[in-house]
Amino acid sequence: MGALSDHGSRLRFCELVRGLGTDQDGTPTYQDDTKAAEEAAAALARQQAAAEEAAALARRREAEEAAAAALARQRAAEEAARRAASQTEADELARRLAAEEAAALARQRDAEEAARRKAEEDAARERARREEEERAKYTWLADDATNEEILLAIAKGMRSQKIGSAAKLFDPNGTGKVTAASLAASMEKLSLKAGQERLATLLSDYSMDGQASMPTKQFISLLNAKTAGLLAGDSSADAA
């Protein structure tokens, strides 16, 4: 049955391919051409195979395009991830550099502060050393020393240093006047120190007009008058 059915199919296909024939009275007759039917079947098979191959090729191309699209998406995702990682690394680097810069700035400020404190301490020690040298070099007269005590200290200093001319000592520039500043400078030559305000008070106490200055001659006379007896008494005490 299968062979007869196949043969019938071929005959029917042959009719379709080659058409119907007719005899002399016009009655349709089949042209049984088995070879033609087989060729037609082979052609149809080839056509079907070509169609299937084309379809397979189309499917393969679609698959390749889909794979290419998927690969492109994957690469885009990888590139996005790489850029994100690079940005993260750049942010981390920037943060680390900023932290290092801040730390360096803090260390610099600490060093500057330490240097400033050391400079202040050195300056304070230097001032203390100079003050100590000043105290050792000079005899300091307290602000509560009396006028007579100050004048006596001046007279003793003149005697110990054998000052011959009181005028040159108290008025070296020949101004004819003794002020608190010039008296302080003169006393330094005698290794004596006293505050200028205290010396101004001394001068105003003895000046005729109450000003903190006196004519040079008047001051020398005052000094001699106020210290003559005291110096004599001091000499007697030293002799005893």
Side-chain angles (χ1 to χ4, degrees):
M1 289 293 291
L4 292 175
S5 177
D6 184 59
H7 181 69
S9 297
R10 289 182 180 180
L11 289 177
R12 285 193 297 273
F13 180 74
C14 182
E15 290 175 359
L16 294 174
V17 173
R18 296 183 60 86
L20 296 173
T22 59
D23 56 14
Q24 290 181 354
D25 59 2
T27 302
T29 61
Y30 290 103
Q31 296 178 1
D32 188 2
D33 192 343
T34 303
K35 183 178 181 181
E38 291 176 351
E39 290 177 355
L44 180 60
R46 287 192 297 271
Q47 183 180 1
Q48 290 177 345
E52 291 176 357
E53 184 178 357
L57 180 61
R59 288 192 299 272
R60 185 166 61 251
R61 287 178 179 174
E62 290 178 357
E64 291 175 351
E65 291 176 356
L71 180 60
R73 290 193 297 272
Q74 180 181 356
R75 289 178 177 174
E78 291 174 352
E79 178 64 17
R82 186 191 63 79
R83 290 181 179 178
S86 298
Q87 184 62 42
T88 301
E89 291 176 359
D91 293 343
E92 178 62 21
L93 179 60
R95 186 196 63 76
R96 186 168 63 251
L97 291 177
E100 291 176 355
E101 183 178 357
L105 181 60
R107 289 192 297 271
Q108 179 181 356
R109 288 176 178 173
D110 291 343
E112 291 175 352
E113 179 64 17
R116 183 188 64 79
R117 290 180 179 177
K118 184 177 184 303
E120 290 179 352
E121 292 173 356
D122 291 344
R125 283 193 294 269
E126 180 63 17
R127 286 194 300 271
R129 185 188 65 79
R130 291 180 178 179
E131 290 174 359
E132 185 63 28
E133 289 181 351
E134 287 286 307
R135 284 191 292 270
K137 181 178 178 181
Y138 296 100
T139 299
W140 288 78
L141 302 178
D143 289 341
D144 59 354
T146 65
N147 291 339
E148 287 76 10
E149 288 173 342
I150 295 174
L151 293 173
L152 179 60
I154 293 172
K156 285 183 176 182
M158 292 176 63
R159 185 179 67 178
S160 64
Q161 296 191 23
K162 299 179 180 180
I163 302 298
S165 174
K168 289 183 179 181
L169 174 64
F170 297 111
D171 189 11
N173 297 322
T175 62
K177 184 170 60 176
V178 176
T179 63
S182 65
L183 181 56
S186 300
M187 291 175 64
E188 286 187 9
K189 295 178 181 178
L190 303 175
S191 299
L192 298 173
K193 280 279 191 178
Q196 286 196 27
E197 291 184 3
R198 180 64 187 87
L199 297 179
T201 301
L202 182 148
L203 294 173
S204 62
D205 287 344
Y206 292 113
S207 65
M208 301 295 293
D209 54 6
Q211 297 296 317
S213 62
M214 294 179 64
T216 303
K217 291 183 178 180
Q218 182 182 349
F219 179 77
I220 294 173
S221 298
L222 171 68
L223 181 63
N224 290 333
K226 290 292 184 180
T227 62
L230 293 174
L231 287 175
D234 185 65
S235 299
S236 298
D238 291 342

